[in-house]
């Protein structure tokens, strides 16, 4: 009887050791597989981040530009300093205003006269070589952008392409004498460049009636 008990005990002991060896081997194999997969997973994550960055950049800095970033010379957008107007590689690029399909030209004092109840479409005038240009326009106090593309509580709006336009409401212009509007534009991954400022000047209705109309069809 004792010999039989010993035989049963050792049989169970050997079976337990075999199971332990199998479990240890399986665990080691899984860890090896996980270790092999870990670098691949890390590389995949990096590639996904790069892809997301390229998609975000390709969609345009204009759409995701944060409101706290100043659209002024000296600030940085897309890791590049903003280029001032006098250093622009395309000096003919400018902000223009139009109403009813006609571009509104400057008055004699290089400003556009407003009575305080006007709404203008604002777009970027650019050469055909900049067909895919993207831009952000900003206004000083006294006006706000409304509708599609408006951002930063109406302080800014964004657009893309030479034919896109945003809407500027100057119905609050009675609070200020002048309003300035300017843009920052870019193509591809190049630095953002500023335009010269478009100036709106508040006048009375009588004064505006005395100003000769000087506009061109688009």
């Amino acid at each position: 009887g004792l010999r039989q008990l010993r035989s049963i005990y050792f049989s169970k002991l050997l079976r337990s050791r075999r199971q332990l060896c199998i479990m240890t081997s399986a665990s080691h194999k899984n860890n090896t597989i996980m270790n092999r997969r870990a670098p691949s997973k890390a590389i995949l994550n990096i590639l996904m981040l790069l892809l997301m960055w390229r998609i975000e950049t390709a969609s345009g800095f204009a759409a995701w530009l944060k409101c706290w970033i100043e659209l002024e010379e000296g600030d940085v957008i897309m890791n590049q300093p903003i280029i001032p107007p006098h250093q622009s590689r395309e000096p003919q690029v400018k902000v223009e205003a139009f109403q009813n399909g006609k571009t509104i030209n400057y008055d004699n004092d290089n400003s556009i006269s407003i009575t305080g109840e006007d709404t203008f479409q604002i777009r970027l005038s650019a050469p055909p070589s900049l067909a895919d240009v993207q831009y952000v326009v900003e206004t000083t106090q006294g006006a706000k952008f409304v509708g599609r593309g408006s951002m930063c509580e109406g302080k800014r709006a964004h657009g893309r392409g030479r034919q896109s336009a945003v809407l500027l409401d100057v119905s609050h212009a009675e609070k200020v004498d002048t309003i300035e509007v300017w843009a920052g534009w870019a193509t591809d991954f190049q630095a953002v460049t500023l335009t010269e400022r478009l100036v709106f000047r508040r006048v009375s209705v009588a004064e505006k009636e005395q100003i000769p109309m000087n506009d061109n069809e688009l």
Side-chain angles (χ1 to χ4, degrees), residues 81-101:
I82 296 176
I83 299 174
H86 65 273
Q87 294 179 3
S88 175
R89 71 180 190 279
E90 298 284 356
Q92 69 272 38
V93 175
K94 63 180 181 179
V95 174
E96 62 181 6
F98 60 99
Q99 290 178 316
N100 302 320

Side-chain angles (χ1 to χ4, degrees), residues 104-117:
I104 308 300
N105 290 336
Y106 284 106
D107 298 331
N108 293 331
D109 61 350
N110 293 324
S111 66
I112 294 177
S113 299
I114 57 174
T115 60
E117 298 297 332

